[in-house]
Amino acid sequence: MNDYDVRIVSSMEKIMPKGGPLKERQIQRITGFQGQRVSFQVAYCFHGNYYVNQTTEQATRNPYVSVSVQGNFEGDVMIRKVDYVPVYFPCERKHDAEYIETEPGLYPDILSEFPGGMQVIIEQWRALWIDCKIPENAKSGDREMILVFTGDDGKEVARKRMIIHVVQAKLPKQKLLHTEWFHPDCLADYYEIEVFSEKHWEIMEKFLKKAHERGVNMIFTALFTPALDTLIGGERTTFQLVGVKKCGKSYEFEYSRFHRWIRMCKEIGFEYFEMSHLFAQWGAKFPPKVVAEVDGKIEKIFGWHTPVADGGYQEFLDAFLPTLIAELKEEGILEHTYFHVSDEPTIYNSDTYQKAWNMVSPYIGECPVIDALSHVELYDRGIVKKPVPTNDSIHEFLDHGLKDGWVYYCCAQGNRVSNRYIAMPAWRNRILGVQLYKFQMEGFLHWGYNFYNSQYSIHKIDPYRTNDGEDSFPSGDPFIVYPGKNGDPVESMRLPIMEDAMLDVRILEMLETMTDREYVMRLIEEIGQMEIRFDQYPSGTDYLVELWETVAREIEKRL
């Protein structure tokens, strides 16, 4: 028995091979609501004898352990193995002390299939990830789950007991808008299939379902090839939902693929739609890549070779945007549609962004336009009316009167603020939910659900070997899901943690409906013993564990 060290720890821990969970608090109980998934980890290490060679006399192999589940938990239980990935770029030069490590190495990230057992490695820690889905009609009370570890010889080597306490209520529907930019071209490239082939549609649907299952309720919709992360003068694989035919100086538009996309997304459950950027990054000086049928041939009619200032694109938008609005109305989603002009404008290119806005605004009416930026001057001057600030600049915007705002983080937000780099502890990812609730944000945006290109899309990468855009972004920034065999998405451990952040918003909103906002805010900051900001929050898993359990008890008392 003593050869096996087995411990139950929070899903917010990251078990390093040599460090293990020696400093982390073990847990014995977790609370969830009807229909909710709750997660925890089982860390394990083998300290016994390890056989280097096999002999006939020995007739044994290196220690192999099977895992079974006992107890009276009536919901579905899924066990996965936490696998490690190479991290070459853990963080930027400017960073704080709240990283697991800041050196390159192997870090836990992939949630792999678990065949029921595993070979243990002497004096190295590993972990299993346990997802427990509470039934929709579960009654209140405690459920016992026992994880039994059994050796090759059938003898039990360890057992661990976990109590899942069920609250007989459902959390309210997620109101917060959450978008993770979806890159269909990267799926076609990785699986080496034709864009818009039936196989491509099948794989896109799988990845979309996984995103929605984990709390993404707004979907990035590529009208034209995303004008994002592409070297000026370079190309991304063409993905264009709207067909275009150029007839002299006029245009015709074909929307069959667009409608198939929208209806697929609605069937999955997406309620909000985010139209792709109508101008390229870095100042809106160029249109996105647009291909069209011209005299029976497919040609690239807009892109890096056609600056907006040279004319022609205005006429295209004059023809295109009224038809797009009509199609959105036909689908019944216009009131739930958001637009983009150009990603990350700055004060230095505000003039070209303003011109681009003027080209678009007559057609989109009251539809909101959201664009990521960090310069508050663009908001003050009314150039960007609904900004999406970075979380390290958001307090400037809040101080300047931003209400019902959005926020995002990406590759540059690695100092003092929440993010989801692989080298960061998972609680630093999850604290985002409390921050979104406190500041009553309307939405959260991230650019990388499944970006499998190098920076600027110069070439494709293998995401299992390269998770930093090829030495360009801190590891983990470009994607939060891996491409698995047979076109199935493979979760990183960061994806369910991101869902947990969304669940934190929902449980806090639920308590607010039973009490009031002041009561909930007092709980949040009393438990944390500090004022919560985007750049100031309690360290460690204990705060978020205690907050969830306290709020759940407060709700249960009032049911």
Side-chain angles (χ1 to χ4, degrees), residues 311 334 367 369 372 397 422 474:
L334 181 62
C367 291
V369 175
F397 288 80
I422 295 172

Side-chain angles (χ1 to χ4, degrees), residues 397-461:
F397 288 80
L398 294 170
D399 291 344
H400 284 242
L402 180 66
K403 303 291 185 185
D404 299 319
W406 282 66
V407 68
Y408 85 107
Y409 54 62
C410 65
C411 55
Q413 285 67 54
N415 186 44
R416 297 175 59 200
V417 292
S418 175
N419 211 314
R420 62 186 191 211
Y421 304 158
I422 295 172
M424 284 181 172
W427 55 260
R428 190 162 171 177
N429 181 182
R430 183 169 163 179
I431 193 66
L432 176 70
V434 177
Q435 296 166 332
L436 294 170
Y437 172 81
K438 175 178 177 177
F439 293 99
Q440 298 179 285
M441 307 305 288
E442 179 183 302
F444 174 78
L445 176 154
H446 195 282
W447 75 280
Y449 179 67
N450 64 316
F451 184 73
Y452 306 140
N453 291 342
S454 67
Q455 186 183 30
Y456 304 132
S457 298
I458 296 171
H459 53 255
K460 322 312 176 205
I461 57 98

Side-chain angles (χ1 to χ4, degrees), residues 17 109 154 238 382 438 462:
D109 196 50
T238 300
K438 175 178 177 177
D462 175 358

Side-chain angles (χ1 to χ4, degrees), residues 82-186:
V82 181
D83 278 330
Y84 294 80
V85 297
V87 168
Y88 302 107
F89 188 176
C91 57
E92 295 278 5
R93 178 184 299 174
K94 184 178 181 181
H95 62 271
D96 53 63
E98 299 284 10
Y99 282 75
I100 301 168
E101 293 180 9
T102 56
E103 294 296 321
L106 289 175
Y107 289 73
D109 196 50
I110 300 174
L111 299 182
S112 298
E113 288 184 4
F114 181 65
M118 67 282 185
Q119 180 172 301
V120 295
I121 301 176
I122 190 167
E123 302 302 345
Q124 284 197 27
W125 285 92
R126 295 288 189 268
L128 300 177
W129 182 281
I130 318 294
D131 277 333
C132 307
K133 181 67 181 294
I134 298 171
E136 298 280 348
N137 60 351
K139 303 297 183 183
S140 62
D142 289 347
R143 309 292 191 277
E144 181 182 58
M145 178 182 294
I146 300 171
L147 295 159
V148 180
F149 289 66
T150 307
D152 265 343
D153 56 4
K155 292 182 180 179
E156 181 181 316
V157 299
R159 73 166 45 210
K160 283 292 174 179
R161 179 174 180 265
M162 185 69 169
I163 296 298
I164 299 173
H165 180 72
V166 177
V167 179
Q168 192 174 327
K170 289 182 171 66
L171 290 174
K173 182 179 177 181
Q174 181 177 316
K175 294 188 295 184
L176 182 103
L177 302 186
H178 178 196
T179 180
E180 302 276 339
W181 286 353
F182 190 84
H183 301 273
D185 57 319
C186 291

